[in-house]
Amino acid sequence: MKSRKLYIYNPETDNFERVFHSFRERALKVCGLIFCSLLLAVIFYFIAISVFELPTEENLRKENASLKSQYNILNRRLDNALTVMNNIQNRDDNFYRVMMQMEPLGNVQRFAGLDNEKRYRELSKISDGGLATLLTRRMDLFERQLYAQSISFDQLRMNADKHKDKLAHIPSVMPINIKDFTMSSGYGVRRDPIYGSRKFHEGLDFAAKTGTSVFATADGKVMDAERMSGYGNCINIDHGYNYVTRYAHLSEILVKPGQEVKRGELIGRVGSTGKSTGPHLHYEVRFKDEPQNPVNYYFMDLTPAEYAEMIQLAENAGHVMD
């Protein structure tokens, strides 16, 4: 395309003469065109990003949303794991080690090495550093507690080898198959289903079908196997070492006073005798004639997850049946 030529009339020569622009004028013209082009480009760019989201930015938003969703899922799973770990620690300190006459683990043993602030400061510098730091702190806490608990169990196992006879006589399994019952009432203050008054419920109520098998929870000798006031058909077993267990409201008694029984041996069947509103097993554990919470005496029968679930069921169950 040919460039346009500019002519101007000169009255002195009576001719049209061609006009030649200086270099400065041409340079200014080119700069002006470039500036206008850039200005229009910037205007169109801001119009575009205000109306349309750029592909890269959209992908980043989706990626961030996905990461936060995954973080929330991990955080919830970690919450559940820490809850189970806390229950295991409480049982370890307040039951296993008490039973074995061992000192509970101290905070130094359970939480040593969790003060690595330099590591957390480095994490805070990355994108979403706050979330990464919080999740890392909690993972470190769980890993440390898991490590300390594994050491504690090793110590308990070694001590248990020295006290096998005592362990055989301490209630440590459930009196009824876990698949055969629903938890009706937990241990603690509950409302009496017949009289309506509040009283301390000294055991657990396992609602089950009449005739469901009931088992001894440790080795021992049958003290009583007869009908007792309020308890209906009832069995009391003396396990030695100051432990006694009670199995009440049975439909059938399968042992006799003075009989030696082993852990897991069938001793009776679920019923609704005595002061009862339906077929169930009322189970008690007593130490030095003081009632104990039976959920602390299933350590040979339940996994950590099942134990945590059992605690929740026992705490929330409020339908006393006797």
Coordinates of all heavy atoms in Angstrom, one line a residue, residues 66-80 135 138:
S66 N -10.5 -27.3 45.8 CA -10.3 -28.7 45.9 C -9.3 -29.0 47.1 O -9.6 -29.9 47.9 CB -9.7 -29.3 44.6 OG -9.4 -30.7 44.8
L67 N -8.3 -28.2 47.2 CA -7.3 -28.3 48.3 C -8.0 -28.1 49.7 O -7.7 -28.8 50.6 CB -6.1 -27.4 48.1 CG -5.1 -27.8 47.0 CD1 -4.1 -26.7 46.8 CD2 -4.4 -29.1 47.3
K68 N -8.8 -27.1 49.7 CA -9.5 -26.8 51.0 C -10.4 -27.9 51.4 O -10.6 -28.2 52.6 CB -10.2 -25.4 50.9 CG -9.2 -24.3 50.9 CD -9.9 -22.9 50.9 CE -8.9 -21.8 50.9 NZ -9.6 -20.4 50.9
S69 N -11.1 -28.5 50.4 CA -12.0 -29.6 50.6 C -11.3 -30.8 51.2 O -11.7 -31.4 52.1 CB -12.8 -29.9 49.4 OG -13.6 -31.1 49.6
Q70 N -10.1 -31.1 50.5 CA -9.3 -32.2 51.0 C -8.8 -31.9 52.4 O -8.7 -32.8 53.3 CB -8.1 -32.4 50.0 CG -8.6 -32.9 48.7 CD -7.4 -33.0 47.7 OE1 -6.3 -33.3 48.1 NE2 -7.7 -32.7 46.4
Y71 N -8.4 -30.7 52.7 CA -7.9 -30.3 54.0 C -9.0 -30.5 55.1 O -8.7 -31.1 56.1 CB -7.5 -28.8 54.0 CG -7.3 -28.3 55.4 CD1 -6.2 -28.5 56.2 CD2 -8.3 -27.6 56.0 CE1 -6.0 -28.1 57.5 CE2 -8.2 -27.1 57.3 CZ -7.0 -27.3 58.0 OH -6.9 -26.9 59.3
N72 N -10.2 -30.1 54.8 CA -11.3 -30.3 55.7 C -11.6 -31.8 56.0 O -11.8 -32.2 57.1 CB -12.6 -29.7 55.2 CG -12.5 -28.2 55.2 OD1 -11.8 -27.6 56.0 ND2 -13.2 -27.5 54.3
I73 N -11.5 -32.6 54.9 CA -11.7 -34.1 55.1 C -10.6 -34.6 56.0 O -10.8 -35.4 56.9 CB -11.7 -34.8 53.8 CG1 -13.0 -34.4 53.0 CG2 -11.7 -36.3 53.9 CD1 -13.0 -34.9 51.5
L74 N -9.3 -34.3 55.7 CA -8.2 -34.8 56.5 C -8.3 -34.3 58.0 O -8.0 -35.0 58.9 CB -6.9 -34.3 55.9 CG -6.4 -34.9 54.6 CD1 -5.2 -34.2 54.1 CD2 -6.1 -36.4 54.9
N75 N -8.8 -33.1 58.1 CA -8.9 -32.5 59.5 C -9.9 -33.3 60.3 O -9.8 -33.5 61.5 CB -9.3 -31.0 59.4 CG -8.8 -30.2 60.6 OD1 -7.7 -30.5 61.2 ND2 -9.5 -29.3 61.0
R76 N -11.1 -33.6 59.6 CA -12.1 -34.4 60.3 C -11.6 -35.8 60.7 O -11.9 -36.2 61.8 CB -13.4 -34.4 59.5 CG -14.2 -33.2 59.4 CD -15.6 -33.4 58.9 NE -15.5 -33.9 57.5 CZ -15.6 -33.1 56.4 NH1 -15.6 -31.8 56.6 NH2 -15.6 -33.6 55.2
R77 N -10.9 -36.4 59.8 CA -10.4 -37.7 60.1 C -9.4 -37.7 61.2 O -9.3 -38.5 62.1 CB -9.8 -38.3 58.8 CG -10.8 -38.6 57.7 CD -10.1 -39.3 56.5 NE -9.6 -40.6 56.9 CZ -8.9 -41.4 56.0 NH1 -8.7 -40.9 54.8 NH2 -8.4 -42.5 56.4
L78 N -8.6 -36.6 61.2 CA -7.6 -36.4 62.3 C -8.3 -36.2 63.6 O -7.8 -36.6 64.7 CB -6.7 -35.3 61.9 CG -5.4 -35.1 62.8 CD1 -4.6 -36.4 62.8 CD2 -4.5 -34.0 62.2
D79 N -9.4 -35.4 63.6 CA -10.2 -35.2 64.8 C -10.6 -36.6 65.4 O -10.5 -36.8 66.6 CB -11.4 -34.4 64.5 CG -11.2 -32.9 64.5 OD1 -10.2 -32.5 65.1 OD2 -12.0 -32.2 63.9
N80 N -11.1 -37.4 64.6 CA -11.6 -38.8 65.0 C -10.4 -39.6 65.6 O -10.6 -40.2 66.6 CB -12.3 -39.5 63.9 CG -13.6 -38.9 63.4 OD1 -14.2 -38.2 64.2 ND2 -13.9 -39.1 62.2
L135 N -2.4 -28.1 60.3 CA -2.5 -29.6 60.0 C -1.2 -30.3 60.4 O -1.3 -31.4 60.9 CB -2.8 -29.8 58.5 CG -3.2 -31.2 58.1 CD1 -4.4 -31.7 58.8 CD2 -3.4 -31.3 56.6
R138 N -1.0 -30.8 64.2 CA -1.9 -31.8 64.7 C -1.4 -33.2 64.3 O -1.5 -34.2 65.0 CB -3.3 -31.6 64.2 CG -3.8 -30.2 64.6 CD -5.3 -30.1 64.2 NE -6.1 -30.8 65.2 CZ -7.3 -31.3 64.9 NH1 -7.8 -31.1 63.7 NH2 -8.0 -32.0 65.8

